[in-house]
PDB file of all heavy atoms in Angstrom:
ATOM      1  N   LYS A 149    -105.867  17.784  75.583  1.00 95.00           N
ATOM      2  CA  LYS A 149    -104.717  16.898  75.515  1.00 95.00           C
ATOM      3  C   LYS A 149    -104.588  16.164  76.812  1.00 95.00           C
ATOM      4  O   LYS A 149    -104.868  16.764  77.886  1.00 95.00           O
ATOM      5  CB  LYS A 149    -103.496  17.833  75.318  1.00 95.00           C
ATOM      6  CG  LYS A 149    -102.470  17.255  74.372  1.00 95.00           C
ATOM      7  CD  LYS A 149    -101.383  18.309  74.062  1.00 95.00           C
ATOM      8  CE  LYS A 149    -101.625  18.944  72.749  1.00 95.00           C
ATOM      9  NZ  LYS A 149    -101.422  18.132  71.616  1.00 95.00           N
ATOM     10  N   SER A 155    -101.140  18.661  84.478  1.00 97.00           N
ATOM     11  CA  SER A 155     -99.969  19.522  84.405  1.00 97.00           C
ATOM     12  C   SER A 155    -100.254  20.945  84.916  1.00 97.00           C
ATOM     13  O   SER A 155     -99.388  21.559  85.536  1.00 97.00           O
ATOM     14  CB  SER A 155     -99.285  19.529  82.998  1.00 97.00           C
ATOM     15  OG  SER A 155    -100.290  20.064  82.029  1.00 97.00           O
ATOM     16  N   HIS A 160     -99.445  24.829  89.405  1.00 94.00           N
ATOM     17  CA  HIS A 160    -100.092  25.885  90.223  1.00 94.00           C
ATOM     18  C   HIS A 160    -100.683  25.284  91.490  1.00 94.00           C
ATOM     19  O   HIS A 160    -101.684  25.810  92.005  1.00 94.00           O
ATOM     20  CB  HIS A 160    -101.312  26.424  89.356  1.00 94.00           C
ATOM     21  CG  HIS A 160    -100.914  27.054  88.088  1.00 94.00           C
ATOM     22  ND1 HIS A 160    -100.613  26.305  86.938  1.00 94.00           N
ATOM     23  CD2 HIS A 160    -100.686  28.297  87.659  1.00 94.00           C
ATOM     24  CE1 HIS A 160    -100.252  27.104  85.926  1.00 94.00           C
ATOM     25  NE2 HIS A 160    -100.351  28.359  86.348  1.00 94.00           N
ATOM     26  N   ARG A 179    -110.969  26.688  83.029  1.00 96.00           N
ATOM     27  CA  ARG A 179    -110.021  27.737  82.806  1.00 96.00           C
ATOM     28  C   ARG A 179    -109.247  27.554  81.507  1.00 96.00           C
ATOM     29  O   ARG A 179    -109.091  28.476  80.711  1.00 96.00           O
ATOM     30  CB  ARG A 179    -109.070  27.800  84.032  1.00 96.00           C
ATOM     31  CG  ARG A 179    -107.781  28.573  83.806  1.00 96.00           C
ATOM     32  CD  ARG A 179    -107.759  29.777  84.734  1.00 96.00           C
ATOM     33  NE  ARG A 179    -106.502  30.556  84.524  1.00 96.00           N
ATOM     34  CZ  ARG A 179    -106.436  31.511  83.648  1.00 96.00           C
ATOM     35  NH1 ARG A 179    -107.436  31.899  82.930  1.00 96.00           N
ATOM     36  NH2 ARG A 179    -105.294  32.193  83.447  1.00 96.00           N
ATOM     37  N   LYS A 184    -108.408  28.877  75.843  1.00 97.00           N
ATOM     38  CA  LYS A 184    -108.285  28.274  74.540  1.00 97.00           C
ATOM     39  C   LYS A 184    -109.324  28.837  73.539  1.00 97.00           C
ATOM     40  O   LYS A 184    -109.045  28.991  72.354  1.00 97.00           O
ATOM     41  CB  LYS A 184    -108.464  26.670  74.638  1.00 97.00           C
ATOM     42  CG  LYS A 184    -108.115  26.005  73.340  1.00 97.00           C
ATOM     43  CD  LYS A 184    -108.167  24.513  73.512  1.00 97.00           C
ATOM     44  CE  LYS A 184    -107.852  23.840  72.137  1.00 97.00           C
ATOM     45  NZ  LYS A 184    -107.906  22.390  72.296  1.00 97.00           N
ATOM     46  N   TRP A 187    -108.161  32.043  71.404  1.00 94.00           N
ATOM     47  CA  TRP A 187    -107.353  31.853  70.222  1.00 94.00           C
ATOM     48  C   TRP A 187    -107.996  30.904  69.235  1.00 94.00           C
ATOM     49  O   TRP A 187    -107.851  30.977  68.019  1.00 94.00           O
ATOM     50  CB  TRP A 187    -105.870  31.415  70.560  1.00 94.00           C
ATOM     51  CG  TRP A 187    -105.663  30.120  71.138  1.00 94.00           C
ATOM     52  CD1 TRP A 187    -105.432  29.827  72.470  1.00 94.00           C
ATOM     53  CD2 TRP A 187    -105.548  28.833  70.521  1.00 94.00           C
ATOM     54  NE1 TRP A 187    -105.192  28.517  72.686  1.00 94.00           N
ATOM     55  CE2 TRP A 187    -105.282  27.882  71.492  1.00 94.00           C
ATOM     56  CE3 TRP A 187    -105.722  28.409  69.212  1.00 94.00           C
ATOM     57  CZ2 TRP A 187    -105.170  26.502  71.199  1.00 94.00           C
ATOM     58  CZ3 TRP A 187    -105.585  27.005  68.902  1.00 94.00           C
ATOM     59  CH2 TRP A 187    -105.314  26.092  69.896  1.00 94.00           C
ATOM     60  N   LYS A 194    -110.334  32.104  60.790  1.00 94.00           N
ATOM     61  CA  LYS A 194    -109.386  32.113  59.671  1.00 94.00           C
ATOM     62  C   LYS A 194    -109.681  31.009  58.733  1.00 94.00           C
ATOM     63  O   LYS A 194    -109.522  31.111  57.522  1.00 94.00           O
ATOM     64  CB  LYS A 194    -107.924  31.987  60.180  1.00 94.00           C
ATOM     65  CG  LYS A 194    -107.114  33.257  60.273  1.00 94.00           C
ATOM     66  CD  LYS A 194    -105.738  32.942  60.497  1.00 94.00           C
ATOM     67  CE  LYS A 194    -105.204  33.695  61.681  1.00 94.00           C
ATOM     68  NZ  LYS A 194    -103.973  33.217  62.211  1.00 94.00           N
TER      69      LYS A 194
ATOM     70  N   GLN B 264     -99.721  23.704  75.793  1.00 98.00           N
ATOM     71  CA  GLN B 264    -100.061  23.412  74.411  1.00 98.00           C
ATOM     72  C   GLN B 264    -101.594  23.659  74.144  1.00 98.00           C
ATOM     73  O   GLN B 264    -101.948  23.902  73.026  1.00 98.00           O
ATOM     74  CB  GLN B 264     -99.743  21.964  74.048  1.00 98.00           C
ATOM     75  CG  GLN B 264     -98.241  21.598  74.047  1.00 98.00           C
ATOM     76  CD  GLN B 264     -97.982  20.157  73.758  1.00 98.00           C
ATOM     77  OE1 GLN B 264     -98.551  19.667  72.803  1.00 98.00           O
ATOM     78  NE2 GLN B 264     -97.215  19.567  74.530  1.00 98.00           N
ATOM     79  N   GLU B 265    -102.333  23.655  75.192  1.00 97.00           N
ATOM     80  CA  GLU B 265    -103.787  23.916  75.013  1.00 97.00           C
ATOM     81  C   GLU B 265    -104.076  25.399  75.121  1.00 97.00           C
ATOM     82  O   GLU B 265    -104.987  25.905  74.487  1.00 97.00           O
ATOM     83  CB  GLU B 265    -104.607  23.141  76.115  1.00 97.00           C
ATOM     84  CG  GLU B 265    -104.626  21.663  75.910  1.00 97.00           C
ATOM     85  CD  GLU B 265    -105.471  21.244  74.782  1.00 97.00           C
ATOM     86  OE1 GLU B 265    -106.122  22.083  74.099  1.00 97.00           O
ATOM     87  OE2 GLU B 265    -105.536  20.058  74.512  1.00 97.00           O
ATOM     88  N   GLU B 270     -99.370  29.652  66.676  1.00 95.00           N
ATOM     89  CA  GLU B 270     -99.015  30.899  66.029  1.00 95.00           C
ATOM     90  C   GLU B 270     -98.364  31.858  67.025  1.00 95.00           C
ATOM     91  O   GLU B 270     -97.288  32.438  66.706  1.00 95.00           O
ATOM     92  CB  GLU B 270    -100.271  31.490  65.414  1.00 95.00           C
ATOM     93  CG  GLU B 270     -99.970  32.636  64.513  1.00 95.00           C
ATOM     94  CD  GLU B 270    -101.249  33.363  64.096  1.00 95.00           C
ATOM     95  OE1 GLU B 270    -102.355  32.972  64.519  1.00 95.00           O
ATOM     96  OE2 GLU B 270    -101.119  34.396  63.323  1.00 95.00           O
ATOM     97  N   GLU B 344    -101.867  34.651  80.269  1.00 93.00           N
ATOM     98  CA  GLU B 344    -103.027  33.694  80.354  1.00 93.00           C
ATOM     99  C   GLU B 344    -102.596  32.344  81.089  1.00 93.00           C
ATOM    100  O   GLU B 344    -103.428  31.536  81.445  1.00 93.00           O
ATOM    101  CB  GLU B 344    -103.607  33.402  78.978  1.00 93.00           C
ATOM    102  CG  GLU B 344    -102.688  32.685  78.016  1.00 93.00           C
ATOM    103  CD  GLU B 344    -101.810  33.626  77.115  1.00 93.00           C
ATOM    104  OE1 GLU B 344    -101.423  34.682  77.676  1.00 93.00           O
ATOM    105  OE2 GLU B 344    -101.529  33.360  75.938  1.00 93.00           O
ATOM    106  N   LEU B 345    -101.279  32.060  81.140  1.00 94.00           N
ATOM    107  CA  LEU B 345    -100.839  30.822  81.747  1.00 94.00           C
ATOM    108  C   LEU B 345    -100.834  30.817  83.260  1.00 94.00           C
ATOM    109  O   LEU B 345    -100.590  29.860  83.935  1.00 94.00           O
ATOM    110  CB  LEU B 345     -99.449  30.524  81.185  1.00 94.00           C
ATOM    111  CG  LEU B 345     -99.319  30.125  79.750  1.00 94.00           C
ATOM    112  CD1 LEU B 345     -97.887  29.914  79.316  1.00 94.00           C
ATOM    113  CD2 LEU B 345    -100.170  28.901  79.370  1.00 94.00           C
ATOM    114  N   ASN B 346    -101.028  32.074  83.853  1.00 87.00           N
ATOM    115  CA  ASN B 346    -100.973  32.104  85.287  1.00 87.00           C
ATOM    116  C   ASN B 346    -102.240  31.679  85.976  1.00 87.00           C
ATOM    117  O   ASN B 346    -103.280  31.714  85.334  1.00 87.00           O
ATOM    118  CB  ASN B 346    -100.556  33.526  85.736  1.00 87.00           C
ATOM    119  CG  ASN B 346     -99.086  33.745  85.423  1.00 87.00           C
ATOM    120  OD1 ASN B 346     -98.329  32.848  85.417  1.00 87.00           O
ATOM    121  ND2 ASN B 346     -98.762  35.029  85.179  1.00 87.00           N
TER     122      ASN B 346
END
Side-chain angles (χ1 to χ4, degrees):
Chain A
K149 218 172 259 294
S155 59
H160 301 78
R179 164 116 181 89
K184 188 174 179 180
W187 65 259
K194 258 192 236 165
Chain B
Q264 293 181 47
E265 290 288 356
E270 191 189 357
E344 66 269 35
L345 293 177
N346 288 331

